[in-house]
PDB file of all heavy atoms in Angstrom:
ATOM      1  N   CYS A 438      -0.215  46.082 -51.904  1.00 96.00           N
ATOM      2  CA  CYS A 438      -0.207  47.520 -51.691  1.00 96.00           C
ATOM      3  C   CYS A 438      -0.663  48.217 -52.968  1.00 96.00           C
ATOM      4  O   CYS A 438      -0.142  47.952 -54.050  1.00 96.00           O
ATOM      5  CB  CYS A 438       1.209  47.964 -51.315  1.00 96.00           C
ATOM      6  SG  CYS A 438       1.384  49.760 -51.291  1.00 96.00           S
ATOM      7  N   ARG A 439      -1.628  49.107 -52.834  1.00 94.00           N
ATOM      8  CA  ARG A 439      -2.143  49.799 -54.009  1.00 94.00           C
ATOM      9  C   ARG A 439      -1.145  50.783 -54.596  1.00 94.00           C
ATOM     10  O   ARG A 439      -1.181  51.079 -55.772  1.00 94.00           O
ATOM     11  CB  ARG A 439      -3.386  50.590 -53.618  1.00 94.00           C
ATOM     12  CG  ARG A 439      -4.552  49.685 -53.538  1.00 94.00           C
ATOM     13  CD  ARG A 439      -5.611  49.998 -54.547  1.00 94.00           C
ATOM     14  NE  ARG A 439      -6.817  49.544 -53.901  1.00 94.00           N
ATOM     15  CZ  ARG A 439      -7.873  50.270 -53.735  1.00 94.00           C
ATOM     16  NH1 ARG A 439      -7.933  51.480 -54.231  1.00 94.00           N
ATOM     17  NH2 ARG A 439      -8.891  49.796 -53.092  1.00 94.00           N
ATOM     18  N   SER A 440      -0.273  51.310 -53.752  1.00 95.00           N
ATOM     19  CA  SER A 440       0.648  52.327 -54.274  1.00 95.00           C
ATOM     20  C   SER A 440       1.856  51.704 -54.967  1.00 95.00           C
ATOM     21  O   SER A 440       2.180  52.055 -56.085  1.00 95.00           O
ATOM     22  CB  SER A 440       1.171  53.221 -53.150  1.00 95.00           C
ATOM     23  OG  SER A 440       0.101  53.718 -52.417  1.00 95.00           O
ATOM     24  N   CYS A 441       2.524  50.773 -54.304  1.00 96.00           N
ATOM     25  CA  CYS A 441       3.775  50.275 -54.884  1.00 96.00           C
ATOM     26  C   CYS A 441       3.648  48.849 -55.415  1.00 96.00           C
ATOM     27  O   CYS A 441       4.575  48.322 -56.013  1.00 96.00           O
ATOM     28  CB  CYS A 441       4.915  50.350 -53.864  1.00 96.00           C
ATOM     29  SG  CYS A 441       4.829  49.104 -52.569  1.00 96.00           S
ATOM     30  N   GLY A 442       2.515  48.209 -55.174  1.00 94.00           N
ATOM     31  CA  GLY A 442       2.318  46.876 -55.751  1.00 94.00           C
ATOM     32  C   GLY A 442       2.905  45.745 -54.927  1.00 94.00           C
ATOM     33  O   GLY A 442       2.829  44.579 -55.319  1.00 94.00           O
ATOM     34  N   ARG A 443       3.473  46.052 -53.765  1.00 96.00           N
ATOM     35  CA  ARG A 443       4.036  44.989 -52.932  1.00 96.00           C
ATOM     36  C   ARG A 443       2.981  43.920 -52.656  1.00 96.00           C
ATOM     37  O   ARG A 443       1.834  44.223 -52.341  1.00 96.00           O
ATOM     38  CB  ARG A 443       4.482  45.592 -51.596  1.00 96.00           C
ATOM     39  CG  ARG A 443       5.086  44.573 -50.645  1.00 96.00           C
ATOM     40  CD  ARG A 443       5.281  45.217 -49.277  1.00 96.00           C
ATOM     41  NE  ARG A 443       6.392  44.619 -48.548  1.00 96.00           N
ATOM     42  CZ  ARG A 443       6.284  43.508 -47.831  1.00 96.00           C
ATOM     43  NH1 ARG A 443       5.147  42.870 -47.768  1.00 96.00           N
ATOM     44  NH2 ARG A 443       7.333  43.052 -47.180  1.00 96.00           N
ATOM     45  N   CYS A 478       1.976  49.726 -45.658  1.00 96.00           N
ATOM     46  CA  CYS A 478       2.992  49.023 -46.433  1.00 96.00           C
ATOM     47  C   CYS A 478       4.379  49.331 -45.856  1.00 96.00           C
ATOM     48  O   CYS A 478       4.745  50.496 -45.713  1.00 96.00           O
ATOM     49  CB  CYS A 478       2.923  49.462 -47.888  1.00 96.00           C
ATOM     50  SG  CYS A 478       4.222  48.778 -48.906  1.00 96.00           S
ATOM     51  N   PRO A 479       5.166  48.315 -45.531  1.00 96.00           N
ATOM     52  CA  PRO A 479       6.491  48.566 -44.979  1.00 96.00           C
ATOM     53  C   PRO A 479       7.455  49.148 -46.027  1.00 96.00           C
ATOM     54  O   PRO A 479       8.463  49.748 -45.674  1.00 96.00           O
ATOM     55  CB  PRO A 479       6.960  47.183 -44.523  1.00 96.00           C
ATOM     56  CG  PRO A 479       6.165  46.219 -45.316  1.00 96.00           C
ATOM     57  CD  PRO A 479       4.857  46.880 -45.618  1.00 96.00           C
ATOM     58  N   ASP A 480       7.141  48.993 -47.307  1.00 96.00           N
ATOM     59  CA  ASP A 480       8.040  49.501 -48.347  1.00 96.00           C
ATOM     60  C   ASP A 480       7.813  50.981 -48.646  1.00 96.00           C
ATOM     61  O   ASP A 480       8.746  51.756 -48.754  1.00 96.00           O
ATOM     62  CB  ASP A 480       7.875  48.697 -49.642  1.00 96.00           C
ATOM     63  CG  ASP A 480       8.354  47.264 -49.464  1.00 96.00           C
ATOM     64  OD1 ASP A 480       8.985  46.986 -48.422  1.00 96.00           O
ATOM     65  OD2 ASP A 480       8.083  46.431 -50.352  1.00 96.00           O
ATOM     66  N   CYS A 481       6.532  51.375 -48.798  1.00 96.00           N
ATOM     67  CA  CYS A 481       6.279  52.744 -49.226  1.00 96.00           C
ATOM     68  C   CYS A 481       5.447  53.537 -48.219  1.00 96.00           C
ATOM     69  O   CYS A 481       5.193  54.723 -48.411  1.00 96.00           O
ATOM     70  CB  CYS A 481       5.595  52.763 -50.596  1.00 96.00           C
ATOM     71  SG  CYS A 481       3.865  52.291 -50.543  1.00 96.00           S
ATOM     72  N   GLY A 482       4.979  52.871 -47.168  1.00 95.00           N
ATOM     73  CA  GLY A 482       4.252  53.593 -46.135  1.00 95.00           C
ATOM     74  C   GLY A 482       2.783  53.835 -46.444  1.00 95.00           C
ATOM     75  O   GLY A 482       2.046  54.373 -45.619  1.00 95.00           O
ATOM     76  N   SER A 483       2.346  53.423 -47.618  1.00 96.00           N
ATOM     77  CA  SER A 483       0.939  53.648 -47.982  1.00 96.00           C
ATOM     78  C   SER A 483       0.008  52.869 -47.044  1.00 96.00           C
ATOM     79  O   SER A 483       0.351  51.789 -46.561  1.00 96.00           O
ATOM     80  CB  SER A 483       0.712  53.201 -49.426  1.00 96.00           C
ATOM     81  OG  SER A 483      -0.664  53.060 -49.665  1.00 96.00           O
ATOM     82  N   LEU A 486      -4.188  49.279 -48.660  1.00 95.00           N
ATOM     83  CA  LEU A 486      -3.834  47.906 -49.014  1.00 95.00           C
ATOM     84  C   LEU A 486      -5.086  47.222 -49.547  1.00 95.00           C
ATOM     85  O   LEU A 486      -6.171  47.398 -48.999  1.00 95.00           O
ATOM     86  CB  LEU A 486      -3.320  47.161 -47.773  1.00 95.00           C
ATOM     87  CG  LEU A 486      -2.170  47.839 -47.012  1.00 95.00           C
ATOM     88  CD1 LEU A 486      -1.749  46.989 -45.820  1.00 95.00           C
ATOM     89  CD2 LEU A 486      -0.992  48.096 -47.937  1.00 95.00           C
TER      90      LEU A 486
HETATM   91 ZN1   ZN B   2       3.597  49.893 -50.846  1.00 73.82          ZN
END
Side-chain angles (χ1 to χ4, degrees):
C438 171
R439 281 244 208 127
S440 308
C441 74
R443 180 189 209 276
C478 175
D480 293 349
C481 74
S483 164
L486 306 181

